[in-house]
Amino acid sequence: MFDGYDSCSEDTSSSSSSEESEEEVAPLPSNLPIIKNNGQVYTYPDGKSGMATCEMCGMVGVRDAFYSKTKRFCSVSCSRSYSSNSKKASILARLQVTGKPPTKKAKVLQKQPLVAKLAAYAQYQATLQNQAKTKAAAVSMEGFSWGNYINSNSFIAAPVTCFKHAPMGTCWGDISENVRVEVPNTDCSLPTKVFWIAGIVKLAGYNALLRYEGFENDSGLDFWCNICSSDIHPVGWCAASGKPLVPPRTIQHKYTNWKAFLVKRLTGAKTLPPDFSQKVSESMQYPFKPCMRVEVVDKRHLCRTRVAVVESVIGGRLRLVYEESEDRTDDFWCHMHSPLIHHIGWSRSIGHRFKRSDITKKQDGHFDTPPHLFAKVKEVDQSGEWFKEGMKLEAIDPLNLSTICVATIRKVLADGFLMIGIDGSEAADGSDWFCYHATSPSIFPVGFCEINMIELTPPRGYTKLPFKWFDYLRETGSIAAPVKLFNKDVPNHGFRVGMKLEAVDLMEPRLICVATVTRIIHRLLRIHFDGWEEEYDQWVDCESPDLYPVGWCQLTGYQLQPPASQSSRESQSGSSKQKKKAKSQQYKGHKKKRKMPVEKKPVSLSSLPMTGEVRRSFSGDEELTPPPYRTLPAQTAPEAFPPPRTSQEFSPSLKTGNQSRQHLRYCRGSKSGLGWWETKHGLA
């Protein structure tokens, strides 16, 4: 629990221990004097290292940098020299017997190993510093509290009923302020666990601010808890379960007849449904299981799909590992209701590009996911007036979710699916086309942004500004997609500007962050990640499965990324401002979003010729259907893997939290196509 020094201490010594005894050197005082030896200056780099003397050459140095576990010699050569000579030939023996100092030859033997040891120790110190930084970052994330964050800023959270895909989203009922529950009594000195009645003072998603009955207006012992946790029960549960109700020690003196007090206060009051905990448990059962195979968008080329296998399921979110990944690190995160995943054979059925798998032999235990488990799309009639290739529209750019851009329908697929490209930024081979359904809330008719006062991003290189659709259609000889073909349904979603929630950072979809609704346009929400600049915002549909109520991460065991601290924002923005070009009126979209090392920066296709050298056809590894696998399992799928609690468990090779967000960057026109999903191996 504690990360300080322990209570044990040992005597320190500058001499090394014997070969048979390997004692740990105890922490040394920080005010130890600097040691000077043969013109060299040595200090104690940390409080645990100490100094040691080589038994062969007599060199004094840092103990941890010495050779072998026993730390008796400063180098391999000294160790071997000692072994080949008698003990009387050693420096310490001569010091003890004759009092002669170390020979010149012994000093020469030490020169090269000392340099190597000092370099190694410098690396050791750097490692300690990095570990300290990582530990500090972990503490800041674990220390985040939704309750304190909401209380201190008077925030309002989006209600659970806004999230139909989340646990209890469709059966939350009338849970609101003043509802009474039975909770553990923490203000009690009894050795056994006892309970007391508490009322909901404030509700924030799944989290509730509770106050014990009898405290009236005293908020001294108010506490936050997740209403779906196993410690929260409806009134009457203690009586049915034989659990004692004991008033808090702070107010025991207020009433002599607590039974009469409770009868008076609880008459006519609301409580949780008797089967509330059962409903919570049922709503957290998910049909997707590990080893199921699906078709998912290829994060290297979003114009095609690949086969992936479900690795784990957490709160309905799937960690998918691409089937060709031998070390199982090439993964992708999404919700089971995401429009990015489909049943095996979906690509062939609608004419979508598909990357042929290198796996020709069936993997043990893998089986195709039943088609009925996937989210259903609305049926459309394509026989009459319908979308056609070349039609213009407005669309959310999947490579820059903060912008809505001028777009073109590049291909009409079956079942109402469309391949769409962003004007002025497309790769010559169409590798950055993306698939939207005709009913998708992410595509809009021409003029949508102007009507709703949203900044429309013009095509890259378009100089006739301000952008006017009428002029652009005339110049390109194209027509606008008919307005009546777009989805105009606007549900009563319940979101309001300023509401707090937990949202997936689609730039790196394994992260779920503290977020705020900053704008609402019909069913379209502008999601802002707290602590980050507006350029990181994302346009998201109100029914997106990537939005969750406050407390969802705590309920499911997923790690929540807290708001970015001011220091991390300044360091991130400071480095980006030095490299940022002056703003141009001609092109304001496709901003650089995530910083990444220079060697991993995406290559822009804008510098490549758009015809001739760049291929336009399918690559050699693409076809329209995956290899045949059986549809139903021959045996029960194995149990789900234990849910990861930290980002390091999600993927040990990735950094966590804000460090990871600062470490990424994306750019439209990159070879990789889907740069905002490429979080590993320098794919972006």
Side-chain angles (χ1 to χ4, degrees):
M1 190 63 120
F2 297 97
D3 195 28
Y5 48 83
D6 54 30
S7 58
C8 299
S9 62
E10 298 178 4
D11 295 333
T12 60
S13 174
S14 60
S15 61
S16 61
S17 61
S18 65
E19 220 170 51
E20 295 78 9
S21 175
E22 298 179 9
E23 297 182 356
E24 293 291 335
V25 177
L28 297 175
S30 58
N31 58 351
L32 283 174
I34 294 177
I35 296 177
K36 296 182 179 181
N37 185 59
N38 296 331
Q40 299 293 326
V41 178
Y42 301 90
T43 58
Y44 292 90
D46 57 61
K48 296 182 179 180
S49 296
M51 309 300 290
T53 304
C54 178
E55 294 187 14
M56 184 62 202
C57 68
M59 179 62 69
V60 178
V62 178
R63 178 182 173 86
D64 283 350
F66 268 47
Y67 174 71
S68 79
K69 292 183 179 180
T70 58
K71 310 301 181 186
R72 296 176 60 190
F73 309 103
C74 65
S75 64
V76 178
S77 61
C78 284
S79 177
R80 290 176 179 173
S81 299
Y82 181 86
S83 300
S84 60
N85 295 285
S86 63
K87 189 170 183 179
K88 290 185 179 180
S90 69
I91 296 300
L92 289 185
R94 274 182 284 168
L95 284 173
Q96 293 170 1
V97 177
T98 64
K100 294 181 179 180
T103 64
K104 189 173 184 181
K105 182 179 179 181
K107 294 181 184 178
V108 173
L109 290 174
Q110 172 61 14
K111 282 186 179 179
Q112 186 174 355
L114 179 61
V115 174
K117 289 197 295 292
L118 291 177
Y121 195 78
Q123 184 177 2
Y124 166 76
Q125 284 184 302
T127 302
L128 289 180
Q129 293 176 357
N130 291 336
Q131 290 176 350
K133 291 179 181 178
T134 303
K135 185 178 292 186
V139 170
S140 63
M141 284 190 286
E142 294 173 359
F144 175 77
S145 166
W146 262 120
N148 295 338
Y149 190 58
I150 289 176
N151 267 354
S152 59
N153 299 279
S154 300
F155 290 141
I156 298 176
V160 175
T161 52
C162 292
F163 310 88
K164 305 302 181 186
H165 59 281
M168 301 298 293
T170 57
C171 52
W172 189 247
D174 297 329
I175 299 177
S176 59
E177 296 178 5
N178 296 320
V179 166
R180 304 303 205 280
V181 292
E182 293 180 353
V183 296
N185 179 5
T186 58
D187 184 26
C188 182
S189 57
L190 296 176
T192 58
K193 189 175 183 178
V194 296
F195 295 80
W196 188 241
I197 311 293
I200 298 178
V201 177
K202 187 174 184 178
L203 203 59
Y206 293 116
N207 294 345
L209 180 63
L210 300 180
R211 181 175 300 170
Y212 289 121
E213 281 295 334
F215 275 82
E216 308 301 339
N217 296 324
D218 183 4
S219 60
L221 288 183
D222 289 3
F223 60 98
W224 285 89
C225 70
N226 195 302
I227 208 72
C228 295
S229 68
S230 58
D231 279 335
I232 309 299
H233 308 281
V235 173
W237 177 84
C238 284
S241 305
K243 303 293 182 180
L245 279 175
V246 178
R249 180 174 50 185
T250 305
I251 57 172
Q252 271 184 338
H253 64 280
K254 291 184 66 175
Y255 301 96
T256 56
N257 190 342
W258 281 101
K259 183 177 180 179
F261 169 80
L262 289 180
V263 170
K264 181 179 179 181
R265 293 298 299 266
L266 299 180
T267 301
K270 294 181 180 180
T271 188
L272 300 178
D275 59 345
F276 183 77
S277 60
Q278 180 182 349
K279 287 183 177 180
V280 171
S281 178
E282 291 174 354
S283 66
M284 295 183 67
Q285 301 298 317
Y286 307 104
F288 281 79
K289 306 297 179 184
C291 296
M292 284 185 171
R293 298 172 74 243
V294 301
E295 287 185 14
V296 63
V297 66
D298 185 349
K299 65 184 182 181
R300 295 176 179 83
H301 299 277
L302 76 167
C303 67
R304 68 187 184 188
T305 57
R306 297 170 62 185
V307 174
V309 180
V310 178
E311 180 78 10
S312 58
V313 184
I314 306 176
R317 301 201 77 226
L318 312 177
R319 179 178 181 256
L320 304 173
V321 176
Y322 289 112
E323 200 168 44
E324 299 93 338
S325 177
E326 295 181 358
D327 58 359
R328 308 188 71 78
T329 58
D330 191 7
D331 63 355
F332 179 74
W333 282 89
C334 68
H335 193 271
M336 63 181 184
H337 294 155
S338 170
L340 302 175
I341 60 172
H342 311 276
H343 62 85
I344 298 295
W346 173 84
S347 297
R348 181 182 185 182
S349 67
I350 70 164
H352 194 281
R353 287 188 184 183
F354 176 82
K355 183 182 185 297
R356 183 176 62 244
S357 174
D358 297 332
I359 306 296
T360 57
K361 190 176 181 180
K362 181 179 65 177
Q363 299 291 310
D364 293 338
H366 292 180
F367 58 97
D368 296 349
T369 306
H372 71 272
L373 297 184
F374 295 87
K376 300 295 186 295
V377 294
K378 185 179 179 180
E379 293 185 3
V380 294
D381 182 12
Q382 297 183 227
S383 60
E385 185 178 11
W386 192 242
F387 293 99
K388 297 179 181 179
E389 291 184 17
M391 283 183 172
K392 300 293 182 181
L393 70 164
E394 299 174 4
I396 297 176
D397 184 356
L399 301 184
N400 187 349
L401 294 172
S402 66
T403 63
I404 300 178
C405 306
V406 174
T408 303
I409 297 174
R410 294 304 180 187
K411 190 176 181 180
V412 179
L413 308 178
D415 296 342
F417 289 95
L418 310 169
M419 295 302 294
I420 295 174
I422 300 297
D423 284 21
S425 304
E426 299 174 63
D429 60 352
S431 61
D432 58 353
W433 293 355
F434 46 95
C435 185
Y436 278 147
H437 193 263
T439 60
S440 170
S442 297
I443 59 174
F444 318 96
V446 164
F448 173 83
C449 286
E450 182 179 359
I451 292 173
N452 293 285
M453 293 181 288
I454 301 174
E455 183 179 5
L456 176 67
T457 302
R460 184 190 296 250
Y462 189 75
T463 58
K464 194 174 180 180
L465 299 175
F467 178 84
K468 298 293 183 183
W469 264 115
F470 180 81
D471 296 336
Y472 185 69
L473 293 174
R474 183 182 58 189
E475 293 168 3
T476 57
S478 53
I479 61 174
V483 176
K484 64 180 181 180
L485 299 181
F486 293 86
N487 181 13
K488 293 180 283 293
D489 295 337
V490 181
N492 183 20
H493 47 71
F495 286 102
R496 299 291 182 268
V497 173
M499 283 183 170
K500 297 291 178 182
L501 69 164
E502 298 176 3
V504 175
D505 178 7
L506 293 172
M507 300 297 117
E508 191 186 355
R510 71 181 178 87
L511 298 181
I512 296 183
C513 312
V514 174
T516 307
V517 178
T518 57
R519 194 174 180 190
I520 301 175
I521 306 294
H522 306 303
R523 63 181 300 147
L524 198 62
L525 308 179
R526 180 82 170 179
I527 301 299
H528 173 74
F529 295 104
D530 289 19
W532 293 90
E533 291 78 10
E534 291 183 0
E535 65 177 9
Y536 295 93
D537 292 0
Q538 298 175 4
W539 287 109
V540 181
D541 182 61
C542 64
E543 295 182 344
S544 169
D546 296 312
L547 304 178
Y548 303 98
V550 166
W552 181 89
C553 284
Q554 179 187 4
L555 176 63
T556 60
Y558 208 96
Q559 180 174 334
L560 176 67
Q561 304 300 324
S565 63
Q566 184 176 359
S567 58
S568 63
R569 292 199 310 270
E570 290 175 352
S571 61
Q572 188 269 349
S573 60
S575 59
S576 62
K577 285 179 181 179
Q578 294 176 1
K579 300 180 181 180
K580 199 178 234 182
K581 296 181 180 179
K583 290 186 178 179
S584 170
Q585 190 182 11
Q586 294 183 6
Y587 183 70
K588 301 180 75 173
H590 318 303
K591 299 174 183 176
K592 299 174 182 177
K593 297 283 284 188
R594 298 294 189 269
K595 305 272 301 175
M596 67 188 307
V598 176
E599 65 273 14
K600 293 186 179 181
K601 289 183 180 178
V603 179
S604 174
L605 291 182
S606 60
S607 59
L608 299 177
M610 299 305 288
T611 58
E613 291 82 357
V614 181
R615 62 179 175 85
R616 291 180 177 273
S617 60
F618 286 177
S619 63
D621 62 351
E622 291 181 13
E623 58 178 26
L624 293 178
T625 181
Y629 267 41
R630 57 192 170 90
T631 303
L632 296 176
Q635 58 185 4
T636 306
E639 292 296 325
F641 299 127
R645 302 288 173 171
T646 67
S647 296
Q648 288 298 320
E649 289 185 51
F650 293 156
S651 180
S653 63
L654 289 177
K655 299 179 180 180
T656 58
N658 299 335
Q659 187 180 10
S660 179
R661 289 170 63 88
Q662 294 180 25
H663 199 62
L664 298 175
R665 159 189 178 180
Y666 82 97
C667 176
R668 164 161 288 286
S670 67
K671 281 185 178 179
S672 57
L674 197 55
W676 56 285
W677 277 325
E678 298 175 11
T679 59
K680 292 195 183 116
H681 315 306
L683 296 176

